[in-house]
Amino acid sequence: FGPDHPEVAQVHWNLALAYQEKAEQEAERRKHSWHNWGLFRLFLGRGVRARLAHEGKEFAQMEKHLRHAFEVFERRLGEDHPSTDQARDALMALEQLRRD
């Protein structure tokens, strides 16, 4: 195998999913800790709260693994392979989160 083998890329894909789940759980925990913030909470827009799931070290790790998987899939399996398409769609969704 090696770091650019499609099966290794699939492991990176799975790691990205695990980091995404961890980030979402952490965001949920933070959301519940805001319960006592009172009026300050009103000033935080809905978009800001939604993006909290996509910040921090878990999100950075997810992005790193996702990008690696996409690059390997594209290079080794081609642009039209379903795995490449799935990883590309995930990266596009990630970029959309950053813009929102």
Side-chain angles (χ1 to χ4, degrees):
F1 286 0
D4 67 337
H5 192 278
E7 289 186 29
V8 174
Q10 187 64 46
V11 171
H12 282 273
W13 176 264
N14 291 336
L15 285 168
L17 294 178
Y19 278 111
Q20 178 186 13
E21 178 67 25
K22 186 176 179 185
E24 289 172 356
Q25 289 174 0
E26 179 63 20
E28 188 66 23
R29 185 190 64 76
R30 284 184 288 185
K31 184 175 81 173
H32 289 294
S33 71
W34 291 353
H35 184 67
N36 297 324
W37 281 22
L39 290 177
F40 181 72
R41 196 173 156 192
L42 294 175
F43 292 105
L44 291 174
R46 182 176 161 194
V48 172
R49 289 194 305 266
R51 280 195 305 267
L52 283 176
H54 307 286
E55 295 177 349
K57 66 182 180 181
E58 289 86 6
F59 184 69
Q61 288 295 320
M62 179 196 72
E63 181 178 13
K64 179 182 87 170
H65 290 292
L66 182 58
R67 287 195 185 282
H68 178 81
F70 171 72
E71 290 167 3
V72 172
F73 289 151
E74 186 176 47
R75 186 172 53 250
R76 298 292 299 270
L77 301 176
E79 291 182 7
D80 297 328
H81 192 276
S83 294
T84 306
D85 289 340
Q86 186 179 23
R88 183 183 300 111
D89 291 346
L91 284 172
M92 288 172 44
L94 185 121
E95 291 303 321
Q96 182 63 40
L97 280 171
R98 283 202 173 105
R99 284 192 292 269
D100 288 346

